[in-house]
Short mmCIF file of all heavy atoms in Angstrom, two decimals:
data_model
loop_
_atom_site.label_atom_id
_atom_site.label_comp_id
_atom_site.label_asym_id
_atom_site.label_seq_id
_atom_site.Cartn_x
_atom_site.Cartn_y
_atom_site.Cartn_z
N PHE A 82 -77.31 13.34 -18.15
CA PHE A 82 -76.07 13.79 -17.53
C PHE A 82 -75.30 12.53 -17.11
O PHE A 82 -75.89 11.59 -16.57
CB PHE A 82 -76.37 14.64 -16.29
CG PHE A 82 -75.15 14.91 -15.46
CD1 PHE A 82 -74.28 15.93 -15.81
CD2 PHE A 82 -74.87 14.15 -14.34
CE1 PHE A 82 -73.15 16.18 -15.05
CE2 PHE A 82 -73.75 14.39 -13.58
CZ PHE A 82 -72.89 15.41 -13.93
N LYS A 83 -74.02 12.52 -17.37
CA LYS A 83 -73.15 11.46 -16.87
C LYS A 83 -71.91 12.12 -16.31
O LYS A 83 -71.40 13.07 -16.90
CB LYS A 83 -72.78 10.47 -17.98
CG LYS A 83 -73.93 9.60 -18.42
CD LYS A 83 -73.51 8.56 -19.41
CE LYS A 83 -74.70 7.70 -19.79
NZ LYS A 83 -74.37 6.71 -20.80
N GLY A 84 -71.46 11.64 -15.18
CA GLY A 84 -70.27 12.20 -14.56
C GLY A 84 -70.50 12.43 -13.08
O GLY A 84 -71.36 11.82 -12.46
N THR A 85 -69.71 13.34 -12.53
CA THR A 85 -69.75 13.64 -11.11
C THR A 85 -70.26 15.06 -10.90
O THR A 85 -69.90 15.97 -11.64
CB THR A 85 -68.33 13.52 -10.50
OG1 THR A 85 -67.84 12.20 -10.77
CG2 THR A 85 -68.34 13.73 -9.01
N ALA A 86 -71.08 15.22 -9.90
CA ALA A 86 -71.63 16.53 -9.56
C ALA A 86 -71.81 16.58 -8.04
O ALA A 86 -71.46 15.63 -7.34
CB ALA A 86 -72.96 16.76 -10.27
N ARG A 87 -72.36 17.67 -7.58
CA ARG A 87 -72.71 17.78 -6.16
C ARG A 87 -74.06 18.47 -6.06
O ARG A 87 -74.45 19.23 -6.95
CB ARG A 87 -71.65 18.54 -5.37
CG ARG A 87 -71.54 19.99 -5.72
CD ARG A 87 -70.46 20.74 -4.92
NE ARG A 87 -70.31 22.06 -5.46
CZ ARG A 87 -71.10 23.09 -5.15
NH1 ARG A 87 -72.07 22.93 -4.30
NH2 ARG A 87 -70.91 24.27 -5.70
N VAL A 88 -74.75 18.19 -4.98
CA VAL A 88 -76.02 18.86 -4.73
C VAL A 88 -75.68 20.23 -4.16
O VAL A 88 -75.10 20.34 -3.09
CB VAL A 88 -76.89 18.05 -3.73
CG1 VAL A 88 -78.16 18.83 -3.37
CG2 VAL A 88 -77.22 16.68 -4.29
N ALA A 89 -76.01 21.28 -4.91
CA ALA A 89 -75.69 22.64 -4.48
C ALA A 89 -76.92 23.41 -4.01
O ALA A 89 -76.79 24.46 -3.39
CB ALA A 89 -75.01 23.41 -5.61
N ARG A 90 -78.08 22.88 -4.31
CA ARG A 90 -79.32 23.56 -3.93
C ARG A 90 -80.42 22.52 -3.82
O ARG A 90 -80.39 21.49 -4.50
CB ARG A 90 -79.67 24.60 -5.00
CG ARG A 90 -80.85 25.49 -4.66
CD ARG A 90 -80.87 26.72 -5.57
NE ARG A 90 -81.48 26.51 -6.85
CZ ARG A 90 -82.79 26.66 -7.10
NH1 ARG A 90 -83.63 26.98 -6.14
NH2 ARG A 90 -83.26 26.48 -8.32
N LYS A 91 -81.38 22.79 -2.95
CA LYS A 91 -82.54 21.92 -2.77
C LYS A 91 -83.78 22.80 -2.75
O LYS A 91 -83.73 23.95 -2.30
CB LYS A 91 -82.44 21.17 -1.44
CG LYS A 91 -81.28 20.20 -1.34
CD LYS A 91 -81.03 19.65 0.04
CE LYS A 91 -82.22 19.13 0.77
NZ LYS A 91 -81.88 18.40 2.02
N ALA A 92 -84.90 22.25 -3.22
CA ALA A 92 -86.15 23.01 -3.19
C ALA A 92 -87.33 22.08 -2.98
O ALA A 92 -87.40 21.00 -3.56
CB ALA A 92 -86.34 23.79 -4.49
N GLU A 93 -88.27 22.55 -2.13
CA GLU A 93 -89.55 21.87 -1.95
C GLU A 93 -90.55 22.50 -2.89
O GLU A 93 -90.62 23.72 -3.01
CB GLU A 93 -90.02 22.03 -0.50
CG GLU A 93 -89.12 21.35 0.50
CD GLU A 93 -89.64 21.44 1.92
OE1 GLU A 93 -90.82 21.78 2.12
OE2 GLU A 93 -88.84 21.17 2.83
N TRP A 94 -91.32 21.68 -3.59
CA TRP A 94 -92.28 22.12 -4.59
C TRP A 94 -91.67 23.21 -5.48
O TRP A 94 -92.13 24.34 -5.52
CB TRP A 94 -93.58 22.60 -3.95
CG TRP A 94 -94.26 21.48 -3.22
CD1 TRP A 94 -94.32 21.31 -1.86
CD2 TRP A 94 -94.93 20.35 -3.81
NE1 TRP A 94 -94.99 20.15 -1.58
CE2 TRP A 94 -95.39 19.53 -2.75
CE3 TRP A 94 -95.19 19.94 -5.12
CZ2 TRP A 94 -96.08 18.35 -2.96
CZ3 TRP A 94 -95.88 18.76 -5.33
CH2 TRP A 94 -96.32 17.99 -4.25
N PRO A 95 -90.59 22.85 -6.19
CA PRO A 95 -89.87 23.83 -7.00
C PRO A 95 -90.66 24.29 -8.22
O PRO A 95 -91.46 23.54 -8.79
CB PRO A 95 -88.62 23.06 -7.44
CG PRO A 95 -89.08 21.64 -7.47
CD PRO A 95 -90.04 21.51 -6.31
N SER A 96 -90.41 25.53 -8.62
CA SER A 96 -90.95 26.00 -9.90
C SER A 96 -90.09 25.42 -11.01
O SER A 96 -88.98 24.93 -10.76
CB SER A 96 -90.96 27.53 -9.95
OG SER A 96 -89.65 28.02 -9.84
N TRP A 97 -90.60 25.46 -12.24
CA TRP A 97 -89.88 24.86 -13.37
C TRP A 97 -90.08 25.69 -14.62
O TRP A 97 -91.18 26.16 -14.89
CB TRP A 97 -90.39 23.44 -13.61
CG TRP A 97 -89.87 22.80 -14.86
CD1 TRP A 97 -88.64 22.24 -15.05
CD2 TRP A 97 -90.56 22.67 -16.12
NE1 TRP A 97 -88.53 21.75 -16.33
CE2 TRP A 97 -89.69 22.01 -17.00
CE3 TRP A 97 -91.82 23.04 -16.56
CZ2 TRP A 97 -90.04 21.70 -18.31
CZ3 TRP A 97 -92.17 22.74 -17.86
CH2 TRP A 97 -91.29 22.08 -18.72
N THR A 98 -88.99 25.85 -15.35
CA THR A 98 -89.03 26.49 -16.66
C THR A 98 -88.20 25.62 -17.60
O THR A 98 -87.06 25.29 -17.28
CB THR A 98 -88.42 27.91 -16.60
OG1 THR A 98 -89.16 28.66 -15.63
CG2 THR A 98 -88.49 28.60 -17.94
N PRO A 99 -88.74 25.24 -18.76
CA PRO A 99 -87.95 24.44 -19.69
C PRO A 99 -86.75 25.24 -20.19
O PRO A 99 -86.83 26.47 -20.34
CB PRO A 99 -88.92 24.12 -20.82
CG PRO A 99 -89.97 25.16 -20.74
CD PRO A 99 -90.06 25.58 -19.30
N THR A 100 -85.65 24.54 -20.45
CA THR A 100 -84.46 25.21 -20.98
C THR A 100 -84.69 25.60 -22.43
O THR A 100 -85.57 25.05 -23.11
CB THR A 100 -83.22 24.30 -20.89
OG1 THR A 100 -83.44 23.16 -21.76
CG2 THR A 100 -82.95 23.82 -19.47
N ALA A 101 -83.88 26.53 -22.91
CA ALA A 101 -83.98 26.95 -24.32
C ALA A 101 -83.75 25.76 -25.25
O ALA A 101 -84.44 25.63 -26.28
CB ALA A 101 -82.97 28.06 -24.61
N SER A 102 -82.83 24.88 -24.90
CA SER A 102 -82.57 23.72 -25.77
C SER A 102 -83.76 22.75 -25.78
O SER A 102 -84.04 22.14 -26.80
CB SER A 102 -81.28 23.00 -25.37
OG SER A 102 -81.38 22.47 -24.08
N MET A 103 -84.46 22.63 -24.67
CA MET A 103 -85.66 21.78 -24.65
C MET A 103 -86.73 22.37 -25.56
O MET A 103 -87.38 21.64 -26.32
CB MET A 103 -86.21 21.67 -23.21
CG MET A 103 -85.34 20.86 -22.28
SD MET A 103 -85.83 21.01 -20.54
CE MET A 103 -87.34 20.09 -20.54
N ILE A 104 -86.90 23.69 -25.51
CA ILE A 104 -87.91 24.35 -26.35
C ILE A 104 -87.53 24.22 -27.82
O ILE A 104 -88.39 23.92 -28.66
CB ILE A 104 -88.07 25.82 -25.93
CG1 ILE A 104 -88.67 25.89 -24.52
CG2 ILE A 104 -88.96 26.57 -26.93
CD1 ILE A 104 -88.66 27.27 -23.89
N ARG A 105 -86.25 24.39 -28.15
CA ARG A 105 -85.80 24.23 -29.55
C ARG A 105 -86.02 22.81 -30.04
O ARG A 105 -86.47 22.59 -31.16
CB ARG A 105 -84.32 24.59 -29.68
CG ARG A 105 -84.03 26.06 -29.90
CD ARG A 105 -82.58 26.31 -30.32
NE ARG A 105 -81.60 25.67 -29.47
CZ ARG A 105 -81.14 26.18 -28.31
NH1 ARG A 105 -81.59 27.35 -27.88
NH2 ARG A 105 -80.25 25.54 -27.60
N ALA A 106 -85.69 21.83 -29.20
CA ALA A 106 -85.79 20.43 -29.62
C ALA A 106 -87.23 19.95 -29.78
O ALA A 106 -87.54 19.19 -30.69
CB ALA A 106 -85.06 19.54 -28.62
N GLU A 107 -88.12 20.41 -28.90
CA GLU A 107 -89.51 19.96 -28.93
C GLU A 107 -90.45 21.13 -28.64
O GLU A 107 -91.11 21.17 -27.60
CB GLU A 107 -89.73 18.84 -27.92
CG GLU A 107 -88.93 17.58 -28.22
CD GLU A 107 -89.18 16.51 -27.18
OE1 GLU A 107 -90.14 15.73 -27.37
OE2 GLU A 107 -88.42 16.46 -26.20
N PRO A 108 -90.54 22.08 -29.57
CA PRO A 108 -91.39 23.26 -29.31
C PRO A 108 -92.85 22.91 -29.07
O PRO A 108 -93.52 23.57 -28.28
CB PRO A 108 -91.21 24.11 -30.56
CG PRO A 108 -90.67 23.20 -31.61
CD PRO A 108 -89.93 22.12 -30.89
N GLN A 109 -93.35 21.86 -29.70
CA GLN A 109 -94.74 21.46 -29.53
C GLN A 109 -95.02 21.00 -28.10
O GLN A 109 -96.15 21.08 -27.63
CB GLN A 109 -95.14 20.38 -30.55
CG GLN A 109 -94.55 19.01 -30.31
CD GLN A 109 -93.09 18.83 -30.69
OE1 GLN A 109 -92.41 19.75 -31.13
NE2 GLN A 109 -92.58 17.61 -30.52
N VAL A 110 -94.00 20.55 -27.40
CA VAL A 110 -94.15 20.08 -26.02
C VAL A 110 -93.87 21.20 -25.03
O VAL A 110 -94.61 21.38 -24.06
CB VAL A 110 -93.20 18.88 -25.75
CG1 VAL A 110 -93.26 18.47 -24.28
CG2 VAL A 110 -93.54 17.71 -26.65
N TYR A 111 -92.79 21.96 -25.25
CA TYR A 111 -92.29 22.87 -24.21
C TYR A 111 -92.57 24.36 -24.41
O TYR A 111 -92.53 25.11 -23.44
CB TYR A 111 -90.78 22.67 -24.04
CG TYR A 111 -90.43 21.29 -23.56
CD1 TYR A 111 -89.74 20.40 -24.38
CD2 TYR A 111 -90.80 20.87 -22.29
CE1 TYR A 111 -89.42 19.12 -23.93
CE2 TYR A 111 -90.49 19.59 -21.84
CZ TYR A 111 -89.80 18.73 -22.66
OH TYR A 111 -89.49 17.48 -22.21
N ALA A 112 -92.84 24.82 -25.61
CA ALA A 112 -93.00 26.26 -25.86
C ALA A 112 -94.10 26.87 -25.00
O ALA A 112 -93.96 27.99 -24.49
CB ALA A 112 -93.25 26.53 -27.33
N LYS A 113 -95.19 26.14 -24.79
CA LYS A 113 -96.30 26.68 -24.01
C LYS A 113 -95.94 26.93 -22.55
O LYS A 113 -96.61 27.67 -21.84
CB LYS A 113 -97.52 25.77 -24.10
CG LYS A 113 -97.32 24.39 -23.54
CD LYS A 113 -98.53 23.52 -23.81
CE LYS A 113 -98.20 22.06 -23.53
NZ LYS A 113 -99.20 21.18 -24.10
N TRP A 114 -94.83 26.31 -22.08
CA TRP A 114 -94.41 26.49 -20.69
C TRP A 114 -93.18 27.40 -20.59
O TRP A 114 -92.53 27.45 -19.55
CB TRP A 114 -94.09 25.15 -20.04
CG TRP A 114 -95.16 24.12 -20.21
CD1 TRP A 114 -95.05 22.91 -20.83
CD2 TRP A 114 -96.52 24.20 -19.75
NE1 TRP A 114 -96.25 22.24 -20.78
CE2 TRP A 114 -97.16 23.01 -20.12
CE3 TRP A 114 -97.25 25.17 -19.06
CZ2 TRP A 114 -98.49 22.76 -19.84
CZ3 TRP A 114 -98.59 24.91 -18.78
CH2 TRP A 114 -99.19 23.72 -19.16
N SER A 115 -92.84 28.14 -21.63
CA SER A 115 -91.62 28.96 -21.64
C SER A 115 -91.59 29.98 -20.51
O SER A 115 -90.52 30.39 -20.08
CB SER A 115 -91.44 29.65 -22.99
OG SER A 115 -92.51 30.54 -23.23
N GLY A 116 -92.75 30.39 -20.00
CA GLY A 116 -92.82 31.31 -18.87
C GLY A 116 -92.68 30.61 -17.53
O GLY A 116 -92.63 31.25 -16.49
N GLY A 117 -92.63 29.28 -17.55
CA GLY A 117 -92.46 28.50 -16.33
C GLY A 117 -93.77 28.02 -15.72
O GLY A 117 -94.86 28.45 -16.12
N LEU A 118 -93.63 27.13 -14.78
CA LEU A 118 -94.77 26.60 -14.01
C LEU A 118 -94.44 26.72 -12.53
O LEU A 118 -93.33 26.38 -12.10
CB LEU A 118 -95.01 25.13 -14.34
CG LEU A 118 -95.65 24.82 -15.67
CD1 LEU A 118 -95.64 23.32 -15.95
CD2 LEU A 118 -97.08 25.33 -15.69
N PRO A 119 -95.39 27.17 -11.72
CA PRO A 119 -95.13 27.28 -10.29
C PRO A 119 -95.04 25.90 -9.64
O PRO A 119 -95.58 24.92 -10.15
CB PRO A 119 -96.34 28.06 -9.78
CG PRO A 119 -97.43 27.76 -10.76
CD PRO A 119 -96.74 27.59 -12.09
N GLY A 120 -94.36 25.84 -8.50
CA GLY A 120 -94.30 24.59 -7.73
C GLY A 120 -95.70 24.15 -7.34
O GLY A 120 -96.56 24.97 -7.06
N GLY A 121 -95.93 22.84 -7.37
CA GLY A 121 -97.23 22.29 -7.01
C GLY A 121 -98.22 22.23 -8.16
O GLY A 121 -99.25 21.58 -8.03
N HIS A 122 -97.91 22.87 -9.29
CA HIS A 122 -98.80 22.80 -10.46
C HIS A 122 -98.82 21.35 -10.95
O HIS A 122 -97.78 20.70 -11.03
CB HIS A 122 -98.28 23.73 -11.56
CG HIS A 122 -99.20 23.87 -12.72
ND1 HIS A 122 -99.33 22.89 -13.68
CD2 HIS A 122 -100.04 24.88 -13.08
CE1 HIS A 122 -100.20 23.29 -14.59
NE2 HIS A 122 -100.65 24.49 -14.25
N GLU A 123 -100.00 20.83 -11.29
CA GLU A 123 -100.12 19.42 -11.69
C GLU A 123 -99.28 19.05 -12.91
O GLU A 123 -98.95 17.88 -13.10
CB GLU A 123 -101.58 19.05 -11.92
CG GLU A 123 -102.21 19.75 -13.09
CD GLU A 123 -103.68 19.44 -13.27
OE1 GLU A 123 -104.29 18.86 -12.36
OE2 GLU A 123 -104.21 19.77 -14.34
N LYS A 124 -98.91 20.00 -13.75
CA LYS A 124 -98.10 19.72 -14.94
C LYS A 124 -96.61 19.97 -14.69
O LYS A 124 -95.79 19.73 -15.57
CB LYS A 124 -98.54 20.60 -16.11
CG LYS A 124 -99.97 20.41 -16.53
CD LYS A 124 -100.11 19.21 -17.41
CE LYS A 124 -101.53 19.14 -17.94
NZ LYS A 124 -101.79 17.96 -18.67
N ASN A 125 -96.24 20.46 -13.50
CA ASN A 125 -94.83 20.75 -13.21
C ASN A 125 -94.07 19.43 -13.10
O ASN A 125 -94.32 18.63 -12.19
CB ASN A 125 -94.73 21.54 -11.90
CG ASN A 125 -93.30 21.93 -11.56
OD1 ASN A 125 -92.37 21.22 -11.86
ND2 ASN A 125 -93.16 23.07 -10.91
N PRO A 126 -93.11 19.18 -14.00
CA PRO A 126 -92.42 17.89 -14.01
C PRO A 126 -91.45 17.68 -12.85
O PRO A 126 -90.99 16.56 -12.65
CB PRO A 126 -91.67 17.89 -15.35
CG PRO A 126 -91.50 19.32 -15.68
CD PRO A 126 -92.71 20.03 -15.11
N LEU A 127 -91.14 18.72 -12.06
CA LEU A 127 -90.20 18.54 -10.95
C LEU A 127 -90.85 17.90 -9.72
O LEU A 127 -90.15 17.48 -8.80
CB LEU A 127 -89.55 19.87 -10.56
CG LEU A 127 -88.64 20.49 -11.61
CD1 LEU A 127 -88.00 21.75 -11.07
CD2 LEU A 127 -87.59 19.52 -12.09
N GLY A 128 -92.15 17.83 -9.69
CA GLY A 128 -92.83 17.17 -8.58
C GLY A 128 -92.60 17.84 -7.24
O GLY A 128 -92.46 19.06 -7.14
N ALA A 129 -92.53 17.02 -6.19
CA ALA A 129 -92.53 17.49 -4.80
C ALA A 129 -91.21 18.07 -4.31
O ALA A 129 -91.21 18.94 -3.44
CB ALA A 129 -92.96 16.36 -3.88
N ARG A 130 -90.09 17.59 -4.81
CA ARG A 130 -88.78 18.03 -4.33
C ARG A 130 -87.78 17.97 -5.47
O ARG A 130 -87.92 17.17 -6.40
CB ARG A 130 -88.26 17.13 -3.20
CG ARG A 130 -89.17 16.97 -2.00
CD ARG A 130 -89.23 18.22 -1.15
NE ARG A 130 -90.01 18.04 0.05
CZ ARG A 130 -91.33 18.22 0.15
NH1 ARG A 130 -92.03 18.58 -0.93
NH2 ARG A 130 -91.96 18.07 1.28
N ALA A 131 -86.72 18.79 -5.35
CA ALA A 131 -85.65 18.77 -6.36
C ALA A 131 -84.30 18.99 -5.70
O ALA A 131 -84.16 19.81 -4.80
CB ALA A 131 -85.88 19.83 -7.43
N LEU A 132 -83.33 18.22 -6.16
CA LEU A 132 -81.92 18.37 -5.78
C LEU A 132 -81.21 18.85 -7.05
O LEU A 132 -81.25 18.16 -8.08
CB LEU A 132 -81.34 17.03 -5.32
CG LEU A 132 -82.09 16.31 -4.19
CD1 LEU A 132 -81.52 14.92 -3.98
CD2 LEU A 132 -82.03 17.11 -2.91
N TYR A 133 -80.58 20.02 -6.97
CA TYR A 133 -79.97 20.66 -8.14
C TYR A 133 -78.50 20.25 -8.24
O TYR A 133 -77.74 20.45 -7.29
CB TYR A 133 -80.10 22.19 -8.03
CG TYR A 133 -81.55 22.63 -8.11
CD1 TYR A 133 -82.42 22.44 -7.03
CD2 TYR A 133 -82.03 23.22 -9.26
CE1 TYR A 133 -83.74 22.84 -7.11
CE2 TYR A 133 -83.36 23.63 -9.35
CZ TYR A 133 -84.21 23.43 -8.27
OH TYR A 133 -85.52 23.82 -8.35
N LEU A 134 -78.11 19.72 -9.39
CA LEU A 134 -76.76 19.20 -9.58
C LEU A 134 -75.85 20.25 -10.21
O LEU A 134 -76.16 20.81 -11.26
CB LEU A 134 -76.80 17.95 -10.46
CG LEU A 134 -77.70 16.82 -9.94
CD1 LEU A 134 -77.61 15.61 -10.86
CD2 LEU A 134 -77.35 16.44 -8.51
N TYR A 135 -74.72 20.48 -9.57
CA TYR A 135 -73.73 21.47 -10.01
C TYR A 135 -72.38 20.80 -10.18
O TYR A 135 -72.07 19.82 -9.51
CB TYR A 135 -73.57 22.58 -8.96
CG TYR A 135 -74.64 23.64 -8.99
CD1 TYR A 135 -75.96 23.35 -8.70
CD2 TYR A 135 -74.32 24.96 -9.31
CE1 TYR A 135 -76.94 24.33 -8.71
CE2 TYR A 135 -75.29 25.95 -9.34
CZ TYR A 135 -76.60 25.63 -9.04
OH TYR A 135 -77.56 26.60 -9.06
N GLN A 136 -71.58 21.37 -11.07
CA GLN A 136 -70.16 21.05 -11.21
C GLN A 136 -69.43 22.35 -10.96
O GLN A 136 -69.58 23.30 -11.74
CB GLN A 136 -69.85 20.48 -12.60
CG GLN A 136 -70.44 19.11 -12.81
CD GLN A 136 -70.12 18.54 -14.17
OE1 GLN A 136 -70.19 19.23 -15.18
NE2 GLN A 136 -69.79 17.26 -14.20
#
Side-chain angles (χ1 to χ4, degrees):
F82 169 82
K83 289 185 179 177
T85 303
R87 67 180 172 82
V88 175
R90 187 164 83 88
K91 296 169 48 171
E93 295 183 14
W94 297 105
S96 61
W97 171 78
T98 303
T100 65
S102 63
M103 290 169 71
I104 294 169
R105 273 193 310 276
E107 296 180 88
Q109 72 284 2
V110 175
Y111 297 113
K113 63 186 167 195
W114 310 119
S115 63
L118 285 171
H122 188 284
E123 66 183 13
K124 300 279 187 186
N125 183 327
L127 295 183
R130 305 288 184 272
L132 306 171
Y133 294 74
L134 304 182
Y135 280 65
Q136 291 181 317

